[in-house]
Amino acid sequence: MRRKEFAVEEAQEVEAFLKEMSFGFLGTVGEDGWSRVTPLNFAYDGQNFYFHGSLAGEKMKHLAHDPRVSFTVAKEYAIIPSYFTDPNLACPASAFFKSVMVRGRAEKVQDPEEKATALTLFMEKLQPEGGYDPIRADDPQYTGQLKSVALFKIVPEAVSAKFKFGQNMNERKFSGVMDGLQERNLPLDPETIELMKKFCPRHA
């Protein structure tokens, strides 16, 4: 069960996170009943999740058997040591993170225009500096490539998000974590502090 204090309902927050991330985990099930989790790059257009790859392999066999899939995207921002809030007990040790879980069906994309649009999303995310000709379905240098690439989209049936940044903490513990992060000052600690303030305004 997902704790309700960490649930995120604002679609803009979820969409912004998904467009920031480039890596997720695809869950499939084969004919033998065994599940598989595949790490892969993805693109998100605000509605569907896209991924590509070879037509061969276990992942594709699973999708041919059953198009129902799960997909998870997550980012860990900070490990929270127990001593930030308690000098003796290990129990308060935690982690602050964002995660999105999707349940849906994977569909093979055949339309060249949709392929070009989706692959453009990949390039904009993975190579934002440019350095390539625009991907167009009517461009001869891309025609063969678009035809041969195996592109799938996940059409979501359910999406849930969990952003954990101390929403369940009382003021004393919240302040202890804030002070600990400020003193430690790892690369993501300043951003974590800002996210704590954002999602826990009563303590900020």
Side-chain angles (χ1 to χ4, degrees), residues 16-186:
F17 173 63
L18 290 172
K19 289 190 173 181
E20 168 197 345
M21 302 298 289
S22 62
F23 206 75
F25 297 87
L26 176 72
T28 57
V29 178
E31 288 187 75
D32 57 4
W34 284 97
S35 61
R36 172 192 173 102
V37 176
T38 306
L40 45 74
N41 291 117
F42 77 97
Y44 177 66
D45 68 353
Q47 182 175 358
N48 300 311
F49 297 77
Y50 291 89
F51 65 92
H52 61 81
S54 170
L55 281 175
E58 186 179 9
K59 174 179 63 181
M60 295 305 177
K61 290 179 180 178
H62 280 203
L63 293 176
H65 164 67
D66 190 338
R68 292 176 297 176
V69 299
S70 62
F71 190 67
T72 301
V73 182
K75 179 179 179 179
E76 184 178 76
Y77 286 80
I79 296 294
I80 308 301
S82 60
Y83 52 77
F84 277 6
T85 56
D86 193 296
N88 300 309
L89 293 178
C91 305
S94 186
F96 287 174
F97 61 89
K98 292 182 180 181
S99 68
V100 175
M101 296 177 61
V102 179
R103 186 176 71 236
R105 295 176 185 270
E107 300 178 359
K108 189 176 181 182
V109 178
Q110 304 283 12
D111 178 59
E113 294 288 349
E114 185 176 1
K115 280 188 172 184
T117 299
L119 293 173
T120 295
L121 291 175
F122 274 100
M123 292 302 294
E124 290 174 347
K125 178 176 286 190
L126 300 175
Q127 192 173 311
E129 71 275 17
Y132 58 92
D133 292 336
I135 303 173
R136 299 198 314 269
D138 60 356
D139 186 334
Q141 67 181 332
Y142 285 120
T143 302
Q145 303 285 348
L146 290 173
K147 185 176 182 180
S148 61
V149 68
L151 180 71
F152 285 78
K153 67 179 175 183
I154 301 171
V155 181
E157 296 181 3
V159 179
S160 63
K162 179 178 179 180
F163 292 5
K164 182 180 179 182
F165 291 98
Q167 295 95 318
N168 61 325
M169 291 180 170
N170 60 36
E171 188 169 352
R172 181 190 65 79
K173 291 184 177 180
F174 189 89
S175 296
V177 171
M178 290 274 281
D179 292 343
L181 291 172
Q182 288 174 340
E183 183 177 350
R184 185 175 69 180
N185 198 32
L186 293 177

